[in-house]
Amino acid sequence: MLISLPCGDFYVTTIEGSKSTREKLFTGCQIAVRRTSQKFQYQIVITRQVDSKSLPEDDLEDEQVFLIDEAIQFKRKTDTSFTWIDVSESNEVLEFVCDTSVPSYSIDAFQSTVYDCMYERKAQRSRDEATDEDIAAIKQAQISQNKNKSMDDLTDLLSNLKTVVSNEPLDSSLPAGQSQAMIVVKASLHLFDQKSNAFVPKVEDVDVRVVQIGTYKYWLSVSQADKPLIAQLLEPSMNPVFNKEHSAFIWNYYEGSQVYSWLLQFPDKQNLEDFKEMFGRCIFETLNEMPFSKFEKGDQDYVINAFEEDTETQEADLSDEEQDEELFLKGNDSDEESHADHFADGVEKNKHLQVSYNNNRSFIIRGNKIGVFKHTDDDKLEFYTTINNIADLQGKPLNPSQVMLYQEDSSMIFLDPKDNHRAYKMDLERGAVVEEWKGHDYVSLNYIAPETKYAQMTNTQTLVGISHNSLYRIDPRLSGNKLVESQFKQYMSKNEFSVVATTEKGYVAVASNKGDIRLFNEIGKNAKCILPALGDPIYGLDLTATGRFIIATCKTYLLFIDVENKADPKRRLAYEPNLPKGDKPVPHRLQLKPEHVAYMNERVSFTPAKFNTGPNEETTIVTSTGPYVVSWSVKKIRLGKIHDYVIKKYDDVVVSDNFVYNNDNSIVVALPNDVTTLSKKQLASPRDILTTPSRNLRSRSKIVNAPY
């Protein structure tokens, strides 16, 4: 947050024909200027102060957000008030009136900050590089636009808005500096329209370029006759999708709190393929800051193929005639129960979820206490007990960074973010930490996994651990340090290992913040296979019991990878030694369709994805983003139907979710202040839960999902 004014009232003036009405929306609210995730973009944020004893009766969101741009025509109306236009509503003017207690110098500073932000958005460079004359020009332009206009005479004022009023993003240009076009192709430009639920043609003949501006910095540029239409940095939140069937490229464009979905349709499939290959190369270099040409051909294909939308797979063990999972499409009937009253303190939020394999329990970690819930016969949860005051052997409170069930679910292992060399074992029956394990004096313990996929169902003692550049086994039965020296593999380079997972046989997969995945058949030896990085950090990793399928979680997408070696007569997996050299597997990049993200109107940020668990073959994947639980069918992914996902929306952000053991129809869902179960029949296709988006200011309910 750059600056804020602590107290004031927030008004809206609405124009209907020749009449205008002024309405107070918030009393005693705060106004602030904050950064967005995009460089040189800022927002005005109005935050209502809500008293828990007297909740508001209206349906307004407590936070109202407005992109700072010259189009909002921001001005100082009086010594104590500001006005601006809501560019997402063509007939509304907003006003913030400061409380008399707010000093005038603070109001002056707030106004100056807004103009600084306008300059940075317009010039695409820091305010520090601007002269006083540059800022004065911004301020004068705002004043001139509003000159001789009163709040009762807004027709001309509102007519000056750019096309963003009709829910289209503002025009944008490439940043200043030397540039080189990596590719230039022709296409037609379309914008997704939520009202008609279709991509609407905007410009028939545009020039599409991928442009290099600086070392390893690439931009997408769309223009017509040298008139810039779109300029956007290549980065993962674009949510890029290449559709062969329609020779189209679809992606998301962000402007402040608004999300748009654009489509470029190319004249033929060859133009699409050429553009896709260059796009893949350039976004790879952007993320990895290294030349794409340094990779071998197999690794290059792995990266490029990850951007393919649908790759129809012909598998001997799959058939379209197989019984389909109609349960997915039954609708959104819900019979949820809240458990918030049993396990809430108003301070800490739910952070971790662990679902047991042996004793039908789910554990929610919230600060330094654990909520224990029993699974009932009808797939619901029943509050069981609370374990309070998690502490180490010296009595210091623990707020774990990772938790893992252990030894037939009788114990739980914690990692402490304040000491990355130790693990703590809690006896769940006693509700107390009973052992502390130091791995090594000089090797950190950043993440742990069970010895094998279902080791926690047994009395297995040993664990698998990683540091940023090493993989090793932990044996708590050793005296002194618990790291097993004979099963310790350390790399000299900075591999930035992030997560580790194991298979039923004890094969190991290790992912990194660089985005690569290493596969090991034995701890302490070299990896048998390295799946190259796309460039995005991986912070979630799960394997099927056999290890054949991997699901890796990046922020805006999941990677589903089949590591069975098709060139091997025995169809062995890539963990195993002496496999014949063949092509790298084709990764499936699972992501939400850009038009669905436009409906949701918020950036995607997936929680670690999980396969369902149990003695049978895995069938389903579950993850979440924001308030949405999202699930894919493994069978459909293997058939190339990677956009056949189903979803459910909650009223709050989903913290974590996971399947009940041996029951792929029941999912435990943790919210910040609650925990519940979700049946697969409550998940639905986006088209089945589509609703009309609410009016932008009155209820910024960011959401609903686009149909297919």
Side-chain angles (χ1 to χ4, degrees):
M1 192 168 292
L2 300 184
I3 191 171
S4 65
L5 301 178
C7 189
D9 297 333
F10 182 46
Y11 297 84
V12 60
T13 297
T14 306
I15 310 300
E16 300 291 347
S18 59
K19 297 181 180 180
S20 64
T21 56
R22 187 169 185 255
E23 174 187 1
K24 181 187 285 189
L25 298 181
F26 297 162
T27 299
C29 56
Q30 172 186 280
I31 187 171
V33 173
R34 73 179 179 199
R35 300 178 189 275
T36 71
S37 57
Q38 286 188 266
K39 197 173 183 180
F40 305 130
Q41 289 204 166
Y42 304 87
Q43 299 166 331
I44 293 174
V45 183
I46 309 293
T47 305
R48 167 162 53 186
Q49 305 302 316
V50 178
D51 185 345
S52 60
K53 296 180 180 178
S54 108
L55 296 175
E57 297 180 357
D58 56 56
D59 63 350
L60 293 174
E61 292 290 328
D62 294 333
E63 183 178 275
Q64 304 286 326
V65 181
F66 309 92
L67 176 68
I68 296 179
D69 184 90
E70 287 185 294
I72 69 173
Q73 300 182 31
F74 181 88
K75 74 165 185 175
R76 185 89 161 262
K77 182 188 176 188
T78 68
D79 289 342
T80 60
S81 68
F82 303 108
T83 64
W84 68 95
I85 293 172
D86 179 4
V87 294
S88 63
E89 293 289 339
S90 60
N91 62 342
E92 292 184 348
V93 172
L94 294 315
E95 182 179 5
F96 185 86
V97 181
C98 300
D99 187 83
T100 54
S101 63
V102 179
S104 59
Y105 64 81
S106 295
I107 299 174
D108 293 340
F110 188 90
Q111 181 182 18
S112 297
T113 301
V114 172
Y115 291 143
D116 289 348
C117 293
M118 282 186 183
Y119 170 82
E120 290 199 3
R121 175 171 167 78
K122 180 179 181 181
Q124 289 292 295
R125 60 182 180 180
S126 170
R127 162 65 175 89
D128 296 338
E129 300 179 34
T131 64
D132 291 341
E133 289 75 16
D134 292 332
I135 303 301
I138 292 284
K139 182 177 180 180
Q140 185 58 43
Q142 295 291 294
I143 295 172
S144 299
Q145 288 178 354
N146 290 284
K147 190 175 182 180
N148 299 324
K149 291 182 173 65
S150 68
M151 290 296 294
D152 297 322
D153 182 18
L154 298 171
T155 305
D156 292 338
L157 180 67
L158 292 167
S159 67
N160 290 331
L161 287 176
K162 295 185 179 181
T163 55
V164 74
V165 169
S166 59
N167 290 326
E168 293 183 22
L170 298 172
D171 294 348
S172 56
S173 302
L174 290 169
Q178 290 187 341
S179 63
Q180 177 184 358
M182 308 303 293
I183 188 172
V184 183
V185 289
K186 291 287 187 181
S188 58
L189 180 64
H190 306 248
L191 178 65
F192 186 75
D193 177 63
Q194 295 183 17
K195 292 180 180 179
S196 62
N197 188 36
F199 283 97
V200 178
K202 287 297 175 183
V203 186
E204 280 301 317
D205 187 24
V206 297
D207 294 313
V208 182
R209 295 176 173 85
V210 174
V211 179
Q212 182 174 16
I213 300 179
T215 306
Y216 302 130
K217 294 296 181 185
Y218 297 92
W219 287 66
L220 172 67
S221 170
V222 181
S223 60
Q224 185 185 50
D226 295 327
K227 177 187 177 184
L229 301 173
I230 300 170
Q232 185 174 2
L233 181 69
L234 267 59
E235 44 105 16
S237 65
M238 292 177 73
N239 227 26
V241 169
F242 291 88
N243 185 297
K244 273 188 176 181
E245 181 182 358
H246 299 289
S247 299
F249 170 59
I250 311 168
W251 80 101
N252 287 124
Y253 178 88
Y254 301 87
E255 191 160 75
S257 61
Q258 294 294 310
V259 184
Y260 304 91
S261 182
W262 287 108
L263 179 148
L264 287 167
Q265 188 165 36
F266 298 93
D268 53 51
K269 288 181 172 57
Q270 186 58 54
N271 276 268
L272 175 70
E273 286 299 313
D274 293 344
F275 180 78
K276 183 185 78 170
E277 181 174 350
M278 183 56 67
F279 181 93
R281 287 171 177 266
C282 292
I283 197 169
F284 172 87
E285 291 192 0
T286 294
L287 295 171
N288 290 278
E289 296 190 348
M290 64 181 295
F292 187 75
S293 58
K294 282 191 174 182
F295 273 65
E296 296 180 357
K297 179 64 166 62
D299 289 349
Q300 290 180 348
D301 292 342
Y302 177 92
V303 172
I304 297 299
N305 290 334
F307 291 97
E308 193 69 61
E309 182 192 31
D310 287 326
T311 306
E312 292 296 334
T313 306
Q314 300 299 324
E315 298 245 20
D317 57 341
L318 287 176
S319 168
D320 282 321
E321 282 76 37
E322 287 183 29
Q323 182 178 357
D324 209 341
E325 294 161 329
E326 292 299 327
L327 190 59
F328 267 128
L329 302 177
K330 293 295 184 182
N332 221 25
D333 54 324
S334 175
D335 184 20
E336 296 167 20
E337 294 180 280
S338 174
H339 300 278
D341 293 340
H342 296 293
F343 187 58
D345 56 18
V347 180
E348 297 285 353
K349 303 296 183 183
N350 293 338
K351 187 176 181 182
H352 302 290
L353 165 68
Q354 285 285 291
V355 181
S356 72
Y357 293 165
N358 281 356
N359 59 13
N360 288 323
R361 297 286 190 271
S362 282
F363 302 86
I364 300 292
I365 289 75
R366 184 186 184 100
N368 69 334
K369 67 180 183 177
I370 303 173
V372 185
F373 297 86
K374 179 181 178 181
H375 298 187
T376 63
D377 292 338
D378 58 351
D379 290 336
K380 296 296 194 316
L381 290 179
E382 181 180 291
F383 178 74
Y384 183 71
T385 189
T386 299
I387 300 173
N388 290 303
N389 303 319
I390 305 172
D392 63 17
L393 294 179
Q394 289 72 45
K396 296 179 181 177
L398 289 173
N399 194 333
S401 59
Q402 188 196 353
V403 298
M404 188 186 84
L405 287 166
Y406 181 66
Q407 288 188 312
E408 301 178 86
D409 296 336
S410 66
S411 303
M412 186 175 285
I413 309 301
F414 303 135
L415 295 188
D416 181 7
K418 296 178 182 177
D419 185 349
N420 64 355
H421 291 269
R422 297 180 188 273
Y424 302 83
K425 176 185 175 182
M426 168 179 274
D427 184 318
L428 290 172
E429 290 297 323
R430 294 171 55 181
V433 170
V434 293
E435 295 180 26
E436 293 184 7
W437 307 333
K438 186 174 184 180
H440 194 278
D441 293 326
Y442 306 111
V443 180
S444 60
L445 179 57
N446 296 340
Y447 198 91
I448 55 175
E451 175 81 5
T452 61
K453 174 80 172 178
Y454 294 119
Q456 74 184 60
M457 300 181 71
T458 70
N459 197 38
T460 300
Q461 299 281 319
T462 55
L463 308 171
V464 176
I466 58 171
S467 71
H468 69 282
N469 68 337
S470 63
L471 167 68
Y472 52 88
R473 195 176 310 282
I474 300 168
D475 189 342
R477 296 167 297 188
L478 296 175
S479 60
N481 291 342
K482 309 303 181 183
L483 184 150
V484 181
E485 296 282 355
S486 63
Q487 294 181 298
F488 172 52
K489 173 63 181 177
Q490 186 169 32
Y491 293 84
M492 298 305 293
S493 58
K494 296 179 180 180
N495 288 337
E496 298 184 36
F497 291 156
S498 54
V499 283
V500 59
T502 54
T503 73
E504 210 162 29
K505 285 185 176 181
Y507 293 159
V508 180
V510 180
S512 78
N513 287 322
K514 294 181 178 180
D516 55 22
I517 302 173
R518 285 174 165 79
L519 306 181
F520 300 82
N521 75 322
E522 188 176 348
I523 296 176
K525 306 294 184 181
N526 288 329
K528 296 304 176 184
C529 177
I530 301 178
L531 302 175
L534 300 187
D536 296 292
I538 295 174
Y539 55 85
L541 189 68
D542 198 20
L543 313 176
T544 54
T546 65
R548 176 178 173 181
F549 300 112
I550 297 174
I551 191 73
T553 306
C554 300
K555 184 175 181 179
T556 60
Y557 61 90
L558 313 178
L559 276 180
F560 179 89
I561 309 167
D562 180 355
V563 297
E564 182 182 76
N565 192 298
K566 305 298 188 293
D568 177 32
K570 296 181 180 180
R571 304 293 283 258
R572 286 176 294 174
L573 306 181
Y575 309 85
E576 302 177 44
N578 303 319
L579 287 178
K581 290 185 178 180
D583 294 335
K584 283 286 194 299
V586 177
H588 292 276
R589 184 182 168 113
L590 309 183
Q591 60 189 59
L592 303 184
K593 299 183 81 172
E595 55 268 39
H596 294 179
V597 179
Y599 271 112
M600 294 176 177
N601 205 29
E602 59 183 59
R603 290 176 182 267
V604 174
S605 184
F606 283 124
T607 57
K610 302 288 185 182
F611 290 105
N612 63 295
T613 55
N616 300 316
E617 186 176 354
E618 295 82 354
T619 61
T620 316
I621 295 166
V622 69
T623 182
S624 62
T625 175
Y628 300 92
V629 171
V630 189
S631 181
W632 277 266
S633 158
V634 172
K635 190 192 83 170
K636 289 184 176 180
I637 296 170
R638 293 171 65 189
L639 289 170
K641 300 176 181 179
I642 62 176
H643 285 303
D644 271 9
Y645 51 80
V646 287
I647 64 176
K648 175 176 171 58
K649 186 187 180 201
Y650 284 87
D651 293 331
D652 207 340
V653 172
V654 178
V655 174
S656 181
D657 45 36
N658 205 348
F659 291 95
V660 174
Y661 179 75
N662 199 26
N663 186 352
D664 72 342
N665 186 48
S666 184
I667 302 167
V668 181
V669 179
L671 305 168
N673 296 296
D674 204 356
V675 58
T676 186
T677 53
L678 169 64
S679 168
K680 268 198 328 192
K681 69 181 180 181
Q682 293 171 249
L683 293 157
S685 167
R687 65 173 176 269
D688 295 332
I689 64 172
L690 176 65
T691 61
T692 304
S694 301
R695 183 167 172 263
N696 188 40
L697 179 67
R698 291 290 180 266
S699 177
R700 297 179 183 272
S701 59
K702 312 245 172 163
I703 214 56
V704 218
N705 308 20
Y708 288 97

